Amino acid sequence: MPAPPGTTSDREIETLAEFDATLSGSGSLAHHRVQAVDLTERTDRLLAADVTGAVFLGCPMDPAAAARVRAAGALVFPPVPGLPFDPYRGHLYTPDELFEGLSGPRGYDATPDARAYAWFQRTKTDGDVFASMLRAVHDDSVSDALDELLVGARVVGVMGGHAMRRGTEEYAGAARLGRTLTRAGLTVATGGGPGAMEAANLGGYAAPFADGMLDQALQVLGKTPSFTPSVTDWAAAAFEVRGRWPGGGASVGIPTWFYGHEPPNAFAAHLAKYFANATREDGLLARSNAGVIFLPGAAGTVQEIFDNATPNYYGSRGEPTPMVLVDRDHWTRELPAWPLLQALARGRAMEARIALVDSVDEAGEALARMV
């Protein structure tokens, strides 16, 4: 019988090197989970190994090897042909992976990111239980990979709208914030899209370089202010920056194909892209264990403020985490979320963990005071 759920974290195999090391060590794959590893060149080892209770998720293998491991007591979930994504993937996406083919004649439309969105559009309302299962398995695999990446990390979320344009002082300020947080040893996590999200991830990317690099990068990006009308040109400008300054700092983006009009940005080193937006939203906030900074935004950012306030109010995730709202006028006059947040917090532990600041340059200091 397969091992009970929750007991296999030390038995997950996600690379060919891990597969070889496991067999070279114990000589057994019993009760292991082998995830999205190409095993077509490991037929002899599969024919000889103990695979009792093992599970193979999306692992290409020789038909003889597949037949043998099934007969020996393993479960085999074969790769699904024709999909623009791997539902069993063992690792997060990279910008290079999602934007592969960007420089070709079809531009962004040819990339895995665009093709996955097109598949989602075709299947999201057709009632096909198989497509629903594939989306769910994919998103769970992404969550697993994200948790593995962030073990021990102090994660600060930076939330803000996709409409913030490159070339503006607001965009530059969000980038400086991402750089400051990353240099302080925090892992910046955003919604992974354009606008304020891209700016914060850009700041994380710029963190290892001298300060002048960010100023130059902002000039390059400012020539293509928005992902409309051309995602291709917008993304190409980001890759131009990455090409000029390779080896930038790491941050995390958590985007979704639910918002297909928002492409992921190329400055997050790790992209946890989901089909289910609700899973993505909750996961982003729940993993921001060092607090969340909310830049000016619209409905989506307002939703994120109160999605984050709710567990802080009830204490359902333990001690409340810091919340910093940036731009007093925006959050008290244009979209007055701050007075409601204050009212909710009054008399509760979260009251000492909320702050409103006038400018983005004050956000990092306000966060540090509450950590």
Side-chain angles (χ1 to χ4, degrees):
M1 294 290 291
T7 63
T8 58
S9 60
D10 60 341
R11 295 186 177 185
E12 292 182 356
I13 296 174
E14 297 173 343
T15 67
L16 197 58
E18 291 174 353
F19 178 87
D20 290 339
T22 299
L23 284 183
S24 296
S26 67
S28 172
L29 296 173
H31 303 293
H32 282 69
R33 275 54 175 146
V34 189
Q35 188 174 350
V37 180
D38 188 342
L39 300 175
T40 52
E41 300 298 322
R42 296 297 187 272
T43 299
D44 290 344
R45 306 203 76 175
L46 286 169
L47 292 175
D50 178 5
V51 294
T52 305
V55 179
F56 294 86
L57 298 163
C59 298
M61 62 179 76
D62 183 90
R68 185 266 163 181
V69 297
R70 285 193 184 97
L75 293 176
V76 178
F77 295 81
V80 181
L83 287 179
F85 62 94
D86 180 1
Y88 305 112
R89 61 181 303 111
H91 304 279
L92 298 182
Y93 293 98
T94 66
D96 290 326
E97 181 180 2
L98 285 179
F99 285 105
E100 184 181 4
L102 180 73
S103 61
R106 294 179 56 215
Y108 174 70
D109 288 343
T111 64
D113 187 65
R115 291 188 288 113
Y117 174 63
W119 177 89
F120 180 46
Q121 288 294 96
R122 290 194 305 271
T123 63
K124 67 180 181 179
T125 60
D126 64 7
D128 182 358
V129 67
F130 183 56
S132 297
M133 182 197 75
L134 292 173
R135 292 194 295 269
V137 170
H138 169 275
D139 285 1
D140 191 68
S141 298
V142 167
S143 290
D144 183 59
L146 184 58
D147 286 337
E148 291 173 355
L149 173 74
L150 296 179
V151 170
R154 296 174 62 229
V155 181
V156 58
V158 179
M159 311 299 161
H162 70 267
M164 185 184 287
R165 293 169 68 86
R166 295 168 172 173
T168 64
E169 178 51 36
E170 291 78 11
Y171 184 97
R176 291 194 301 271
L177 173 64
R179 184 178 64 183
T180 297
L181 295 170
T182 303
R183 287 177 174 177
L186 297 165
T187 297
V188 170
T190 78
M197 297 171 279
E198 181 190 53
N201 288 130
L202 167 63
Y205 188 88
F209 300 101
D211 288 356
M213 174 270 175
L214 181 57
D215 295 332
Q216 295 176 63
L218 290 170
Q219 290 181 356
V220 174
L221 296 171
K223 298 174 184 177
T224 314
S226 175
F227 62 96
T228 60
S230 172
V231 175
T232 302
D233 292 346
W234 173 83
F239 279 101
E240 180 182 345
V241 169
R242 287 175 33 136
R244 288 195 193 184
W245 294 278
S251 64
V252 177
I254 307 181
T256 174
W257 281 294
F258 182 82
Y259 294 134
H261 63 286
E262 292 185 16
N265 75 71
F267 293 112
H270 311 283
L271 288 162
K273 191 148 193 181
Y274 288 87
F275 288 106
N277 185 51
T279 304
R280 165 253 193 177
E281 288 271 12
D282 184 68
L284 171 55
L285 294 168
R287 291 175 175 88
S288 296
N289 54 19
V292 184
I293 296 172
F294 298 90
L295 303 178
T301 310
V302 172
Q303 176 182 332
E304 288 164 345
I305 289 173
F306 293 103
D307 278 349
N308 196 57
T310 300
N312 283 346
Y313 180 89
Y314 288 111
S316 57
R317 293 180 185 147
E319 288 294 313
T321 52
M323 299 176 64
V324 180
L325 277 60
V326 177
D327 192 329
R328 189 176 304 273
D329 186 66
H330 184 84
W331 294 121
T332 60
R333 293 171 55 87
E334 293 182 41
L335 293 174
W338 174 250
L340 179 53
L341 183 62
Q342 276 188 306
L344 282 172
R346 193 169 297 122
R348 291 183 173 267
M350 67 181 286
E351 188 172 18
R353 294 295 186 92
I354 63 171
L356 175 67
V357 298
D358 290 311
S359 72
V360 71
D361 293 325
E362 302 171 73
E365 183 180 343
L367 183 75
R369 289 197 301 268
M370 296 186 290
V371 172

